Amino acid sequence: MRLNINKTAVESALIGGAILGGGGGGWLEEGEKMARLALENAFSEILPLDSLDPSSLLLTVSAVGAPSAGHNQLLPEDYLRAVELFLEKSQAKISGLISSEIGGLAIVNGWVQSVFLGIPVVDAPADGRAHPLGLMGSMGLHKIKDYISQQAVVGRTREGKLIETFLVGSIEETARTTRELAAELSGLVAVARHPVEAGYVRDHGAPGAIGQAISLGQLFKEKHQAGLDSQKIVASILDFLGEGNLFTGKVNKYSLWAKEGFDLGLIQIESSSGEYELTFWNEYMTLEKRGERLATFPDLIMTFEAETARPLISAAVKERMEIIILSVPAQRLLLGAGVKDPVLLKKIEAKIDREILKYHRYLI
């Protein structure tokens, strides 16, 4: 089913996207700016994957970097330029644009590029939540022997000078170079990458994830407009997704280190039900209560302002802030192949010094 995009749908998409981002997926404020520009230029619909021929080529578009870099590091034309550069260098015939993930910014990936280049956006993100590694948004392409990745990367120096490059090589090599460029520049780059057939995306991506986010955001808005308190608003998300945990507490300690193009950090929360700990590597990775593991990436872990229920990415949380924490099992999410890869999940363990794989044996 085609998704009709208007101001109301945008509001729902941004809220639902931010929630499913799980602490990452970009700043909601940046998503609002990009969506507004797209609407002003007549962006009006998103196509379902099944409306395309399985052999049609889809191009993944994304922003790569650390959320703490802020939400004013790239201009809308930088995202557009990344797709233009890809088309110029690759000469590929692209039938649709897909987002690498879902998040407050990520859910509108491709919208601006679509209206200016005439390439439709397709509701088939590479992943139905946000994730830290570019390989996690590559839908398992890195497992295909001899697959050659093409990536167009556009960024800006801290002084605002435009930098662009086109990369060809293995997915691992190009992903690493892209992340290094983000770290060296302003902390964030716009990327267009990995042309792949629609049939492959159907089997390895997360078709329908944008529609799910819009439905979730619509529910969130309805509960808010009905005057429910924040706890009940966030609890409605659990009802929508099926199951999970929910608690409210005060942030006692917040630590963040920007390293190698990522945000790495730890949050300690004091609640009436006990002491909790969150770790994050851009997205929230683990949730524990006094050493007992409650949720583990790719489970959805998300934070909200306790007063307003506004979704908070990991970089937006502050000490002494009252927050609501939600977690939902991975089985309840639309996930791409990349976040189910045990080799990639194993990489998280070294970064956050916490076990990941043993909590997701069903994925192996």
Side-chain angles (χ1 to χ4, degrees):
M1 182 177 69
R2 291 175 185 248
L3 299 174
N4 295 317
I5 304 299
N6 52 31
K7 184 178 179 181
T8 300
V10 164
E11 292 172 351
S12 298
L14 292 170
I15 294 172
I19 294 168
L20 292 171
W27 291 82
L28 189 107
E29 293 83 356
E30 182 75 1
E32 289 171 342
K33 180 174 71 174
M34 296 290 284
R36 182 167 60 250
L37 178 60
L39 282 184
E40 289 171 352
N41 287 276
F43 183 76
S44 62
E45 68 175 10
I46 297 174
L47 300 184
L49 183 62
D50 61 12
S51 68
L52 276 68
D53 186 279
S55 63
S56 300
L57 282 183
L58 303 182
L59 182 67
T60 299
V61 287
S62 69
V64 173
S68 64
H71 45 85
N72 295 304
Q73 302 300 324
L74 290 176
L75 301 176
E77 53 261 40
D78 299 334
Y79 294 95
L80 175 62
R81 179 56 189 155
V83 176
E84 288 179 329
L85 178 61
F86 186 92
L87 296 176
E88 291 169 7
K89 296 293 187 179
S90 72
Q91 296 297 304
K93 184 179 179 181
I94 301 299
S95 298
L97 302 174
I98 61 173
S99 178
S100 61
E101 60 184 14
I102 293 292
L105 167 61
I107 196 164
V108 301
N109 281 341
W111 294 18
V112 170
Q113 299 96 312
S114 175
V115 293
F116 287 103
L117 297 175
I119 305 172
V121 173
V122 181
D123 184 6
D127 190 16
R129 57 153 300 146
H131 48 257
L133 292 173
L135 289 178
M136 290 179 172
S138 298
M139 299 175 285
L141 288 170
H142 64 290
K143 293 182 175 182
I144 299 177
K145 186 179 179 180
D146 299 328
Y147 179 85
I148 300 298
S149 172
Q150 297 173 300
Q151 296 198 33
V153 184
V154 175
R156 291 184 181 270
T157 65
R158 287 172 174 79
E159 294 74 35
K161 182 180 178 181
L162 185 69
I163 302 292
E164 62 180 45
T165 188
F166 186 74
L167 306 172
V168 179
S170 72
I171 290 185
E172 292 88 343
E173 292 168 345
T174 54
R176 181 171 58 252
T177 302
T178 297
R179 181 69 63 174
E180 290 171 351
L181 284 171
E184 291 173 8
L185 296 174
S186 61
L188 197 67
V189 292
V191 181
R193 66 190 188 204
H194 306 335
V196 65
E197 291 186 351
Y200 185 90
V201 177
R202 178 195 61 215
D203 297 334
H204 299 86
I210 295 177
Q212 181 188 55
I214 291 175
S215 296
L216 176 57
Q218 182 178 350
L219 172 67
F220 187 95
K221 285 169 49 185
E222 290 172 355
K223 300 299 182 182
H224 206 285
Q225 292 165 358
L228 272 64
D229 63 39
S230 296
Q231 187 92 2
K232 291 180 179 178
I233 293 172
V234 178
S236 70
I237 299 170
L238 295 183
D239 294 336
F240 180 91
L241 292 174
E243 62 178 299
N245 297 302
L246 179 71
F247 68 92
T248 302
K250 183 177 182 179
V251 177
N252 280 344
K253 181 179 180 180
Y254 178 86
S255 302
L256 181 150
W257 305 271
K259 186 177 181 181
E260 300 174 343
F262 294 96
D263 284 346
L264 181 67
L266 178 73
I267 305 174
Q268 294 178 348
I269 306 111
E270 184 176 345
S271 170
S272 59
S273 57
E275 297 176 353
Y276 296 82
E277 178 189 87
L278 285 169
T279 62
F280 61 89
W281 191 30
N282 284 9
E283 289 74 23
Y284 293 118
M285 296 288 110
T286 62
L287 170 62
E288 295 184 353
K289 179 181 180 182
R290 294 179 179 174
E292 177 190 357
R293 184 65 59 84
L294 301 179
T296 305
F297 181 91
D299 293 342
L300 179 67
I301 306 169
M302 189 55 187
T303 47
F304 304 79
E305 287 183 346
E307 184 176 352
T308 66
R310 183 175 176 83
L312 294 169
I313 63 172
S314 60
V317 175
K318 307 295 180 185
E319 287 188 357
R320 296 183 294 280
M321 181 181 281
E322 293 282 343
I323 61 175
I324 301 172
I325 298 92
L326 167 146
S327 67
V328 175
Q331 301 96 308
R332 295 291 183 174
L333 308 176
L334 298 176
L335 299 178
V339 293
K340 301 175 186 177
D341 185 337
V343 175
L344 299 182
L345 292 174
K346 187 71 176 177
K347 290 179 181 291
I348 300 171
E349 298 183 344
K351 295 296 182 181
I352 66 171
D353 193 28
R354 299 288 190 281
E355 289 188 298
I356 299 292
L357 262 185
K358 84 173 202 176
Y359 295 97
H360 287 301
R361 293 299 181 189
Y362 69 91
L363 289 176
I364 301 174

